[in-house]
Amino acid sequence: MPDRNALVFVAALVVIGPLLVAGPHPILPGLAAAVAAFTGLWLLSLALGRADIVDVAWGPGFVLVGAVGLAVVPGAPTSRGLLVLALVALWAARLALHIGTRNAGAGEDFRYRKWREEAGGSFWWVSYLRIFLLQALTLWVVSSPVVLAQVPGPRLGLRAADLAGLALFAAGFLWEAVADRQLTRFKADPANRGEVLRSGLWGLSRHPNYFGEAVLWWGIGLLALPSGGLLALAGPAVLTFALLRVSGVAMLDAALVERKPGYADYIRSTPAFFPRPRRLR
């Protein structure tokens, strides 16, 4: 039976997608670019025998959709649009470098290995629908603020909401980068094999990297608000739900409980997503 959260997530994509298309903004070229790029990645994954290359391409995919928006939106470029695209490019470059370095020389991610085993000989086409096409559609919806920010707005100057958006992006970017760095250093020590990182940001929440990514995308949404309206917040909302209930926290917690003996205790003692100091627990 399909997971209820997964069904809610797909339903959100089905609802938000047409809303984006029905708007006055030329959003469809970005969808076409995302589907074409991830179809090419799928063919490459079949040749390489590993589907986790899609994780490396996740961040750059946002830059692709944003660049397409820059090319097709009438009146672009604007200072707001260029700023948002530059911020997303900074985030995408760091994330792609981090994931690419992490995956280099390692086997395929355990999530994709599990799905490969479950699908058997059908994985070649199942992977296209379940991994590559779904990620392309998700990326398109989540990246919509990047395209909406390209649209010329009634006000070009920075407002209080813009300053809040910049602050959220900076805080989220730094939080995610520091969390990734702390986990990388922890895993690099052979003495920590099978252990659970409980210090630094990982002592405040079990998934500080996901929290940082959600925060920075809410910042992007706020920056796109003047030109995109409330629809600019749909992408961050979809991403946050996915990280909390679908492909992030829920999936990793279930897997790590089985793989690491101390993870169940970590769940009991540490919040999943939103950071909370120990003295408040």
Side-chain angles (χ1 to χ4, degrees), residues 10-36:
V10 172
L13 295 181
V14 170
V15 171
I16 296 173
L19 289 177
L20 291 171
V21 173
H25 317 299
I27 202 86
L28 277 177
L31 173 61
V35 171

Side-chain angles (χ1 to χ4, degrees), residues 45-46 48-52 108-124 126-127 130-131:
S45 78
L46 297 180
L48 296 177
R50 57 186 302 167
D52 57 356
E108 188 178 37
D109 186 279
F110 73 91
R111 294 167 295 177
Y112 302 111
R113 290 201 308 268
K114 179 181 177 182
W115 293 342
R116 188 183 295 275
E117 294 170 0
E118 292 174 348
S122 302
F123 184 74
W124 69 274
V126 170
S127 66
R130 185 174 185 179
I131 300 173

Side-chain angles (χ1 to χ4, degrees), residues 8-246:
V8 172
F9 176 71
V10 172
L13 295 181
V14 170
V15 171
I16 296 173
L19 289 177
L20 291 171
V21 173
H25 317 299
I27 202 86
L28 277 177
L31 173 61
V35 171
F38 277 66
T39 298
L41 279 173
W42 168 65
L43 294 174
L44 179 60
S45 78
L46 297 180
L48 296 177
R50 57 186 302 167
D52 57 356
I53 61 171
V54 72
D55 294 338
V56 182
W58 173 252
F62 286 84
V63 181
L64 171 64
V65 173
V68 170
L70 184 66
V72 302
V73 172
T78 65
S79 56
R80 181 180 302 278
L82 291 174
L83 171 63
V84 167
L85 186 56
L87 293 176
V88 171
L90 174 65
W91 163 76
R94 190 212 68 82
L95 187 63
L97 179 62
H98 167 69
I99 297 177
T101 303
R102 182 192 68 190
N103 291 357
E108 188 178 37
D109 186 279
F110 73 91
R111 294 167 295 177
Y112 302 111
R113 290 201 308 268
K114 179 181 177 182
W115 293 342
R116 188 183 295 275
E117 294 170 0
E118 292 174 348
S122 302
F123 184 74
W124 69 274
W125 64 265
V126 170
S127 66
Y128 179 65
L129 298 177
R130 185 174 185 179
I131 300 173
F132 291 88
L133 184 58
L134 181 59
Q135 286 216 29
L137 294 175
T138 303
L139 185 151
W140 173 65
V141 171
V142 176
S143 67
S144 56
V146 188
V147 178
L148 296 175
Q150 309 295 334
V151 179
R155 297 180 61 180
L156 298 179
L158 288 177
R159 307 183 307 171
D162 298 323
L163 297 177
L166 286 171
L168 281 177
F169 177 87
F173 180 88
L174 182 62
W175 198 274
E176 183 182 29
V178 170
D180 284 340
R181 177 59 179 165
Q182 288 176 346
L183 185 60
T184 298
R185 294 180 63 181
F186 181 80
K187 288 183 174 181
D189 187 347
N192 294 326
R193 185 175 181 83
E195 298 297 322
V196 178
L197 174 58
R198 300 168 182 258
S199 60
L201 298 183
W202 298 85
L204 303 178
S205 73
R206 301 196 302 273
H207 303 278
N209 51 340
Y210 291 154
F211 174 76
E213 184 157 327
V215 168
L216 72 86
W217 272 100
W218 281 103
I220 293 296
L222 283 180
L223 286 170
L225 200 60
S227 53
L230 290 178
L231 200 56
L233 302 180
V238 167
L239 176 67
T240 303
F241 182 82
L243 291 175
L244 274 169
R245 301 295 184 185
V246 185

Side-chain angles (χ1 to χ4, degrees), residues 253-279:
D253 276 356
L256 291 174
V257 163
E258 298 179 359
R259 298 174 62 198
K260 295 190 176 185
Y263 201 81
D265 178 68
Y266 184 50
I267 289 178
R268 289 189 292 268
S269 64
T270 310
F273 191 73
F274 295 99
R276 191 163 75 245
R278 291 185 182 277
R279 64 179 179 273

